[in-house]
Protein backbone atom coordinates (compact mmCIF):
# COMPACT_ATOMS: atom_id res chain seq x y z
CA UNK A 1 0.00 0.00 0.00
CA UNK A 2 1.36 3.43 -0.98
CA UNK A 3 0.63 5.86 1.88
CA UNK A 4 1.63 8.95 -0.08
CA UNK A 5 -0.69 8.20 -2.98
CA UNK A 6 -3.61 7.42 -0.62
CA UNK A 7 -3.04 10.80 1.05
CA UNK A 8 -2.98 12.48 -2.37
CA UNK A 9 -6.08 10.64 -3.57
CA UNK A 10 -8.07 11.79 -0.53
CA UNK A 11 -6.51 15.23 -0.46
CA UNK A 12 -5.11 14.77 3.05
CA UNK A 13 -1.95 15.80 4.86
CA UNK A 14 -0.46 14.09 7.93
CA UNK A 15 -1.51 15.99 11.07
CA UNK A 16 1.40 16.67 13.39
CA UNK A 17 -1.02 17.52 16.20
CA UNK A 18 -2.30 13.90 16.16
CA UNK A 19 1.16 12.36 15.87
CA UNK A 20 0.50 11.12 12.34
CA UNK A 21 3.73 9.46 11.24
CA UNK A 22 2.55 6.63 9.01
CA UNK A 23 4.55 3.43 8.72
CA UNK A 24 5.64 2.93 5.12
CA UNK A 25 8.38 0.34 5.45
CA UNK A 26 7.16 -3.22 4.77
CA UNK A 27 10.05 -4.76 6.72
CA UNK A 28 9.16 -2.72 9.83
CA UNK A 29 5.47 -3.62 9.43
CA UNK A 30 6.19 -7.33 9.32
CA UNK A 31 8.59 -7.03 12.29
CA UNK A 32 5.77 -5.47 14.34
CA UNK A 33 3.24 -8.12 13.37
CA UNK A 34 5.71 -10.92 14.12
CA UNK A 35 6.51 -9.33 17.50
CA UNK A 36 2.81 -9.60 18.38
CA UNK A 37 2.72 -13.38 17.80
CA UNK A 38 -0.81 -13.25 16.43
CA UNK A 39 -2.68 -16.54 16.09
CA UNK A 40 -5.62 -17.16 13.77
CA UNK A 41 -8.04 -17.23 16.74
CA UNK A 42 -6.84 -13.88 18.18
CA UNK A 43 -8.85 -10.70 18.53
CA UNK A 44 -6.64 -7.63 18.12
CA UNK A 45 -7.28 -4.06 19.20
CA UNK A 46 -5.37 -1.58 17.05
CA UNK A 47 -5.15 1.99 18.32
CA UNK A 48 -4.66 4.67 15.66
CA UNK A 49 -4.88 2.66 12.41
CA UNK A 50 -4.08 5.80 10.36
CA UNK A 51 -4.33 4.78 6.72
CA UNK A 52 -4.46 1.08 7.52
CA UNK A 53 -0.99 -0.13 6.53
CA UNK A 54 -0.52 -2.06 9.79
CA UNK A 55 -4.23 -2.97 9.89
CA UNK A 56 -3.95 -4.93 6.60
CA UNK A 57 -1.18 -7.10 8.08
CA UNK A 58 -3.15 -7.61 11.30
CA UNK A 59 -6.26 -8.66 9.33
CA UNK A 60 -4.16 -11.27 7.51
CA UNK A 61 -3.07 -12.79 10.81
CA UNK A 62 -5.99 -12.44 13.25
CA UNK A 63 -9.57 -13.66 13.66
CA UNK A 64 -10.85 -10.11 14.11
CA UNK A 65 -9.29 -6.63 14.31
CA UNK A 66 -10.98 -3.70 16.04
CA UNK A 67 -9.47 -0.32 15.25
CA UNK A 68 -10.02 2.99 17.04
CA UNK A 69 -9.06 6.13 15.10
CA UNK A 70 -9.58 9.65 16.45
CA UNK A 71 -9.26 11.45 13.10
CA UNK A 72 -12.56 11.17 11.24
CA UNK A 73 -11.00 12.42 7.98
CA UNK A 74 -9.02 9.15 7.86
CA UNK A 75 -12.16 7.00 7.89
CA UNK A 76 -12.92 7.24 4.13
CA UNK A 77 -9.37 6.19 3.06
CA UNK A 78 -9.35 3.50 5.77
CA UNK A 79 -12.66 2.09 4.51
CA UNK A 80 -11.31 2.09 0.99
CA UNK A 81 -7.96 0.42 1.90
CA UNK A 82 -9.78 -2.23 3.96
CA UNK A 83 -12.76 -2.65 1.58
CA UNK A 84 -12.10 -6.32 0.85
CA UNK A 85 -11.53 -7.32 4.51
CA UNK A 86 -14.41 -8.89 6.38
CA UNK A 87 -12.68 -9.30 9.76
CA UNK A 88 -12.24 -5.67 10.77
CA UNK A 89 -14.38 -3.17 12.70
CA UNK A 90 -13.54 0.53 12.35
CA UNK A 91 -14.45 2.75 15.28
CA UNK A 92 -14.10 6.51 15.22
CA UNK A 93 -13.13 7.88 18.63
CA UNK A 94 -10.52 8.74 21.21
CA UNK A 95 -9.16 5.55 22.76
CA UNK A 96 -8.71 7.36 26.07
CA UNK A 97 -12.47 7.95 26.23
CA UNK A 98 -13.46 4.43 25.29
CA UNK A 99 -13.49 1.49 27.67
CA UNK A 100 -11.55 -1.44 26.10
CA UNK A 101 -13.79 -3.87 28.00
CA UNK A 102 -16.87 -2.47 26.26
CA UNK A 103 -15.12 -2.33 22.87
CA UNK A 104 -14.01 -5.94 23.13
CA UNK A 105 -16.88 -7.63 24.96
CA UNK A 106 -18.78 -8.50 21.79
CA UNK A 107 -15.80 -10.34 20.30
CA UNK A 108 -14.54 -12.28 23.32
CA UNK A 109 -16.02 -15.61 24.38
CA UNK A 110 -15.58 -17.97 27.32
CA UNK A 111 -13.43 -20.20 25.13
CA UNK A 112 -11.42 -17.29 23.70
CA UNK A 113 -11.43 -14.62 26.44
CA UNK A 114 -8.17 -12.85 25.55
CA UNK A 115 -7.17 -10.08 23.20
CA UNK A 116 -3.93 -8.50 22.06
CA UNK A 117 -3.15 -4.84 21.45
CA UNK A 118 -0.96 -3.68 18.58
CA UNK A 119 -0.44 0.02 17.94
CA UNK A 120 1.84 2.62 16.49
CA UNK A 121 0.81 5.45 18.76
CA UNK A 122 1.54 9.15 19.04
CA UNK A 123 4.45 9.84 21.35
CA UNK A 124 2.63 12.42 23.45
CA UNK A 125 -0.03 10.01 24.73
CA UNK A 126 2.11 6.89 25.18
CA UNK A 127 1.90 6.77 28.99
CA UNK A 128 -1.80 7.66 29.05
CA UNK A 129 -2.62 4.86 26.59
CA UNK A 130 -0.53 2.28 28.44
CA UNK A 131 -2.18 3.23 31.72
CA UNK A 132 -5.63 3.10 30.13
CA UNK A 133 -4.99 -0.44 28.85
CA UNK A 134 -3.36 -1.72 32.03
CA UNK A 135 -6.13 -0.42 34.26
CA UNK A 136 -9.00 -1.75 32.13
CA UNK A 137 -11.22 -4.44 33.71
CA UNK A 138 -10.33 -6.88 30.96
CA UNK A 139 -6.61 -6.54 30.34
CA UNK A 140 -4.95 -7.59 27.10
CA UNK A 141 -2.77 -10.67 27.01
CA UNK A 142 0.01 -8.67 25.39
CA UNK A 143 0.63 -5.17 24.09
CA UNK A 144 2.97 -4.39 21.20
CA UNK A 145 3.63 -0.69 20.80
CA UNK A 146 5.77 1.25 18.37
CA UNK A 147 6.89 4.19 20.46
CA UNK A 148 9.75 6.61 20.97
CA UNK A 149 12.93 4.62 21.74
CA UNK A 150 13.70 6.80 24.77
CA UNK A 151 10.27 6.10 26.33
CA UNK A 152 10.65 2.36 25.65
CA UNK A 153 14.03 2.45 27.42
CA UNK A 154 12.47 4.21 30.40
CA UNK A 155 9.76 1.53 30.61
CA UNK A 156 12.24 -1.37 30.72
CA UNK A 157 14.48 0.34 33.31
CA UNK A 158 15.77 -1.69 36.25
CA UNK A 159 16.59 -0.83 39.92
CA UNK A 160 19.10 2.01 40.34
CA UNK A 161 17.51 3.60 37.32
CA UNK A 162 13.78 3.04 37.94
CA UNK A 163 11.06 5.65 37.35
CA UNK A 164 7.34 5.80 38.02
CA UNK A 165 6.37 4.72 34.48
CA UNK A 166 8.65 1.64 34.71
CA UNK A 167 7.21 0.70 38.13
CA UNK A 168 3.64 1.16 36.82
CA UNK A 169 4.16 -0.99 33.72
CA UNK A 170 6.26 -3.65 35.46
CA UNK A 171 3.68 -3.95 38.25
CA UNK A 172 1.33 -5.43 35.64
CA UNK A 173 3.59 -6.96 33.04
CA UNK A 174 7.01 -7.77 31.62
CA UNK A 175 8.18 -5.23 29.03
CA UNK A 176 10.98 -5.75 26.52
CA UNK A 177 12.26 -3.94 23.46
CA UNK A 178 12.04 -6.30 20.49
CA UNK A 179 13.14 -4.06 17.60
CA UNK A 180 14.41 -0.63 16.82
CA UNK A 181 12.67 1.16 13.95
CA UNK A 182 14.59 3.84 12.04
CA UNK A 183 12.93 7.22 11.43
CA UNK A 184 13.01 6.52 7.67
CA UNK A 185 10.40 3.75 8.11
CA UNK A 186 7.74 6.46 8.65
CA UNK A 187 6.18 9.15 6.49
CA UNK A 188 6.78 11.86 7.47
CA UNK A 189 9.95 10.79 9.30
CA UNK A 190 9.82 11.72 13.01
CA UNK A 191 12.68 13.57 14.72
CA UNK A 192 13.27 10.70 17.13
CA UNK A 193 14.17 7.02 16.90
CA UNK A 194 11.45 4.47 17.59
CA UNK A 195 11.28 1.01 19.10
CA UNK A 196 8.83 -1.86 19.20
CA UNK A 197 8.02 -2.57 22.83
CA UNK A 198 6.25 -5.77 23.82
CA UNK A 199 4.57 -6.05 27.22
CA UNK A 200 3.40 -9.52 28.31
CA UNK A 201 0.71 -9.47 30.94
CA UNK A 202 0.22 -12.36 33.35
CA UNK A 203 -3.32 -12.82 34.70
CA UNK A 204 -2.40 -11.28 38.05
CA UNK A 205 -0.13 -8.29 38.77
CA UNK A 206 3.47 -9.29 39.41
CA UNK A 207 3.42 -7.80 42.92
CA UNK A 208 1.07 -9.22 45.48
CA UNK A 209 -0.58 -6.27 47.28
CA UNK A 210 -3.95 -5.98 49.02
CA UNK A 211 -4.65 -2.53 47.66
CA UNK A 212 -3.44 -1.64 44.16
CA UNK A 213 -4.34 2.06 44.59
CA UNK A 214 -2.17 2.21 47.71
CA UNK A 215 0.75 0.64 45.80
CA UNK A 216 0.56 3.46 43.26
CA UNK A 217 0.12 6.14 45.96
CA UNK A 218 3.28 4.93 47.71
CA UNK A 219 5.29 4.71 44.47
CA UNK A 220 4.03 8.12 43.34
CA UNK A 221 5.04 9.67 46.67
CA UNK A 222 8.45 7.96 46.46
CA UNK A 223 9.14 9.43 43.02
CA UNK A 224 7.40 12.72 43.88
CA UNK A 225 10.57 14.57 44.73
CA UNK A 226 13.37 13.97 42.29
CA UNK A 227 16.61 12.55 43.62
CA UNK A 228 15.52 13.01 47.26
CA UNK A 229 16.09 10.36 49.88
CA UNK A 230 13.07 8.07 50.31
CA UNK A 231 12.21 9.12 53.86
CA UNK A 232 11.82 12.73 52.73
CA UNK A 233 9.84 12.11 49.56
CA UNK A 234 7.50 9.61 51.28
CA UNK A 235 6.91 11.98 54.22
CA UNK A 236 6.05 14.77 51.78
CA UNK A 237 3.64 12.65 49.74
CA UNK A 238 1.87 10.38 52.25
CA UNK A 239 -0.52 11.19 55.12
CA UNK A 240 1.93 9.88 57.75
CA UNK A 241 4.37 11.57 60.13
CA UNK A 242 8.09 11.45 59.44
CA UNK A 243 8.69 9.01 62.33
CA UNK A 244 5.99 6.69 60.96
CA UNK A 245 7.70 6.73 57.56
CA UNK A 246 11.00 5.85 59.28
CA UNK A 247 9.20 3.02 61.09
CA UNK A 248 7.73 1.70 57.80
CA UNK A 249 11.13 1.79 56.10
CA UNK A 250 12.86 0.10 59.04
CA UNK A 251 10.17 -2.59 59.23
CA UNK A 252 10.62 -3.37 55.54
CA UNK A 253 14.40 -3.34 55.81
CA UNK A 254 14.79 -0.47 53.33
CA UNK A 255 17.50 2.08 54.11
CA UNK A 256 15.64 5.44 54.46
CA UNK A 257 18.52 7.17 52.70
CA UNK A 258 17.99 5.23 49.48
CA UNK A 259 16.39 6.93 46.48
CA UNK A 260 13.18 5.72 44.82
CA UNK A 261 15.14 4.86 41.65
CA UNK A 262 16.92 2.01 43.48
CA UNK A 263 13.91 0.06 44.79
CA UNK A 264 12.80 -3.26 43.34
CA UNK A 265 9.12 -4.00 42.62
CA UNK A 266 9.12 -6.44 45.51
CA UNK A 267 10.40 -3.71 47.89
CA UNK A 268 7.63 -1.32 46.74
CA UNK A 269 5.17 -4.13 47.45
CA UNK A 270 6.48 -4.75 50.99
CA UNK A 271 6.56 -1.03 51.73
CA UNK A 272 2.96 -0.69 50.53
CA UNK A 273 1.82 -3.39 52.96
CA UNK A 274 3.34 -1.62 55.99
CA UNK A 275 2.28 1.90 54.92
CA UNK A 276 -1.25 0.64 54.26
CA UNK A 277 -1.44 -0.82 57.77
CA UNK A 278 -0.08 2.37 59.40
CA UNK A 279 -2.61 4.53 57.56
CA UNK A 280 -5.46 2.19 58.55
CA UNK A 281 -4.32 2.14 62.22
CA UNK A 282 -4.09 5.90 62.16
CA UNK A 283 -7.59 6.38 60.73
CA UNK A 284 -9.03 3.92 63.29
CA UNK A 285 -7.17 5.89 65.99
CA UNK A 286 -8.58 9.17 64.66
CA UNK A 287 -12.11 7.76 64.60
CA UNK A 288 -11.66 6.50 68.17
CA UNK A 289 -10.49 9.95 69.22
CA UNK A 290 -13.46 11.53 67.45
CA UNK A 291 -15.91 9.31 69.32
CA UNK A 292 -14.38 10.17 72.67
CA UNK A 293 -15.16 13.84 72.16
CA UNK A 294 -18.63 13.39 70.75
N1 LIG B 1 -1.05 2.89 12.52
C1 LIG B 1 -0.76 3.86 11.48
C2 LIG B 1 0.55 3.53 10.85
O1 LIG B 1 1.32 2.82 11.50
O2 LIG B 1 0.83 4.00 9.76
C3 LIG B 1 -0.79 5.30 12.00
C4 LIG B 1 0.14 5.60 13.15
S1 LIG B 1 0.23 7.28 13.63
C5 LIG B 1 1.78 7.29 14.50
C6 LIG B 1 -0.86 7.43 15.02
C7 LIG B 1 -2.34 7.34 14.69
O3 LIG B 1 -3.08 7.45 15.93
C8 LIG B 1 -2.87 8.45 13.81
O4 LIG B 1 -3.67 7.90 12.80
C9 LIG B 1 -3.70 9.34 14.75
O5 LIG B 1 -4.74 10.03 14.09
C10 LIG B 1 -4.20 8.31 15.74
N2 LIG B 1 -4.54 8.84 17.09
C11 LIG B 1 -3.97 9.89 17.73
N3 LIG B 1 -4.52 10.05 18.95
C12 LIG B 1 -5.47 9.07 19.07
C13 LIG B 1 -6.41 8.73 20.11
N4 LIG B 1 -6.45 9.41 21.26
N5 LIG B 1 -7.24 7.69 19.90
C14 LIG B 1 -7.20 7.00 18.73
N6 LIG B 1 -6.35 7.29 17.71
C15 LIG B 1 -5.49 8.31 17.89
Amino acid sequence: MDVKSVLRQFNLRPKKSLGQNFLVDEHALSQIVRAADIMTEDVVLEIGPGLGSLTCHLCDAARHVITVEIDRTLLPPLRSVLADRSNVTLIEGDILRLDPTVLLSHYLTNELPNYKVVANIPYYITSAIIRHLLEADIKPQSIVLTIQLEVAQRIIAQPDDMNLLAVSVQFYGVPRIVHRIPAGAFYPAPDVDSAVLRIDLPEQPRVNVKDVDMFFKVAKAGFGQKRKQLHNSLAAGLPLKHEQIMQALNETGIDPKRRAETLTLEEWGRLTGVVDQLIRDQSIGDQGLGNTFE
Side-chain angles (χ1 to χ4, degrees):
M1 173 198 150
D2 182 353
V3 162
K4 286 184 203 166
S5 64
V6 176
L7 285 169
R8 250 194 322 271
Q9 190 191 336
F10 286 84
N11 202 16
L12 292 166
R13 275 165 194 228
K15 297 188 180 74
K16 214 175 173 179
S17 62
L18 290 176
Q20 290 179 354
N21 300 96
F22 301 109
L23 267 165
V24 291
D25 183 287
E26 278 301 315
H27 178 62
L29 285 164
S30 43
Q31 278 183 321
I32 294 169
V33 178
R34 253 183 288 128
D37 258 335
I38 296 167
M39 309 287 165
T40 47
E41 70 271 17
D42 282 338
V43 171
V44 175
L45 170 64
E46 187 195 5
I47 301 161
L51 294 165
S53 45
L54 182 56
T55 323
C56 288
H57 289 259
L58 296 173
C59 286
D60 287 341
R63 171 162 63 98
H64 200 88
V65 181
I66 298 152
T67 68
V68 177
E69 173 56 60
I70 199 170
D71 182 358
R72 68 167 53 176
T73 68
L74 296 185
L75 270 288
L78 253 184
R79 280 193 204 104
S80 143
V81 166
L82 299 167
D84 58 351
R85 311 281 178 166
S86 57
N87 61 338
V88 61
T89 304
L90 308 182
I91 295 169
E92 183 208 321
D94 177 349
I95 187 63
L96 297 176
R97 292 173 177 272
L98 295 167
D99 180 351
T101 306
V102 176
L103 287 177
L104 271 300
S105 58
H106 183 65
Y107 300 93
L108 304 181
T109 62
N110 285 341
E111 293 75 43
L112 299 167
N114 297 315
Y115 71 101
K116 294 174 179 170
V117 173
V118 182
N120 167 20
I121 51 175
Y123 302 139
Y124 59 91
I125 47 168
T126 303
S127 328
I129 288 182
I130 294 179
R131 186 172 172 192
H132 189 59
L133 295 169
L134 294 180
E135 291 181 353
D137 283 344
I138 305 183
K139 296 183 200 351
Q141 205 178 346
S142 60
I143 303 175
V144 169
L145 299 175
T146 305
I147 55 176
Q148 191 176 346
L149 173 63
E150 196 197 309
V151 179
Q153 283 166 334
R154 271 209 288 134
I155 291 174
I156 64 163
Q158 291 298 308
D160 274 357
D161 207 19
M162 288 299 266
N163 57 79
L164 188 57
L165 181 59
V167 172
S168 313
V169 173
Q170 294 177 28
F171 174 81
Y172 288 108
V174 185
R176 64 196 161 96
I177 292 177
V178 275
H179 295 293
R180 290 186 181 210
I181 307 278
F186 301 88
Y187 175 77
D191 301 331
V192 293
D193 286 327
S194 300
V196 179
L197 179 83
R198 176 173 164 138
I199 309 169
D200 285 287
L201 298 166
E203 276 181 27
Q204 296 300 325
R206 295 170 65 208
V207 188
N208 187 10
V209 285
K210 266 201 233 147
D211 182 345
V212 173
D213 285 348
M214 183 57 74
F215 177 89
F216 285 104
K217 272 187 198 139
V218 174
K220 215 169 173 180
F223 284 103
Q225 303 201 316
K226 273 213 160 152
R227 308 261 152 215
K228 278 232 166 144
Q229 294 181 351
L230 259 183
H231 65 104
N232 282 327
S233 47
L234 292 174
L238 291 172
L240 288 173
K241 296 196 190 82
H242 192 259
E243 63 255 32
Q244 290 174 300
I245 297 290
M246 292 300 277
Q247 179 192 340
L249 288 164
N250 286 334
E251 262 182 54
T252 35
I254 298 170
D255 182 347
K257 291 195 180 129
R258 282 172 63 188
R259 289 177 297 108
E261 290 85 347
T262 68
L263 262 62
T264 63
L265 277 184
E266 197 263 328
E267 285 176 318
W268 284 116
R270 268 192 285 141
L271 186 58
T272 301
V274 180
V275 166
D276 198 8
Q277 195 54 54
L278 284 170
I279 292 178
R280 275 171 212 272
D281 291 350
Q282 178 169 275
S283 67
I284 291 169
D286 289 350
Q287 276 167 22
L289 210 65
N291 288 339
T292 322
F293 286 96
E294 261 169 20

